[in-house]
Amino acid sequence: MSEVRQDIESIVADYRDCWARLDFERLRGLWDTDDAEPLYVAEEAAAPMLDWPAIEAYWRSTRAATESIRISTSNLCVRALGDRLASAVYDMRWVGRFRTHPRPIGGELRVAAMFRHKPAGWRFLHYVEAPLAPIVYFRRSYERFAEASPSQDAR
């Protein structure tokens, strides 16, 4: 496994941990904060966030609305783009408890991200969550439902 891939795996693991702890200050530390024009596209946001005030406002409102969240990632594909840049795509599943919902909710999506190598290591500079098309999402849902065999009726 390449060193770049290992480093990106590590930052994605840190990203999951930050969300599990709802630690947005540490999450900000995973970003290249020297970049004045970061890009963050959350699946539930109406518009892309193109600067630090917008991203930080999103994190504050998310923190206020969120009781807990768990994220899992899979199928990580990393590509070095020279010495200081790398891209990655991966699948992400999330389950969260939110103050506005009586029960947990969750979803599946794909992430496309770019990273810049800094003295402290690789840092996000571009992050896009891409929801699955409804037909793909529902097909997977039906497949998962079919994997869990129904229980026998008690007689």
Side-chain angles (χ1 to χ4, degrees):
M1 179 182 318
S2 77
E3 183 178 334
V4 173
R5 180 182 169 83
Q6 287 178 321
D7 292 346
I8 300 301
E9 279 183 355
S10 179
I11 196 169
V12 171
D14 288 346
Y15 176 91
R16 291 190 310 264
D17 187 62
C18 288
W19 277 96
R21 297 171 187 274
L22 298 174
D23 186 346
F24 294 98
E25 184 175 320
R26 187 168 148 235
L27 184 62
R28 188 181 199 280
L30 300 179
W31 281 77
D32 177 0
T33 54
D34 294 330
D35 190 328
E37 297 179 327
L39 175 81
Y40 193 115
V41 180
E43 73 171 315
E44 75 281 6
M49 292 160 270
L50 305 172
D51 58 32
W52 287 112
I55 293 171
E56 290 169 349
Y58 166 75
W59 285 336
R60 276 192 307 276
S61 66
T62 300
R63 177 64 186 102
T66 306
E67 293 177 6
S68 67
I69 196 155
R70 288 186 328 272
I71 292 174
S72 64
T73 58
S74 60
N75 301 320
L76 176 67
C77 179
V78 175
R79 182 175 171 207
L81 304 171
D83 292 341
R84 296 188 54 230
L85 292 175
S87 67
V89 294
Y90 54 91
D91 296 328
M92 186 169 90
R93 292 190 70 200
W94 61 270
V95 174
R97 292 193 68 85
F98 302 94
R99 291 176 177 80
T100 56
H101 298 282
R103 296 175 54 194
I105 61 172
E108 288 185 276
L109 51 95
R110 291 169 288 222
V111 172
M114 289 192 64
F115 303 85
R116 179 175 287 127
H117 194 267
K118 306 286 287 184
W122 290 95
R123 296 295 181 257
F124 284 97
L125 65 111
H126 177 112
Y127 177 89
V128 177
E129 295 175 347
L132 302 174
I135 193 165
V136 174
Y137 190 84
F138 286 116
R139 183 182 318 120
R140 286 185 183 178
S141 178
Y142 280 108
E143 289 168 352
R144 282 200 180 97
F145 184 80
E147 290 170 0
S149 60
S151 61
Q152 295 289 333
D153 290 336
R155 295 185 186 180

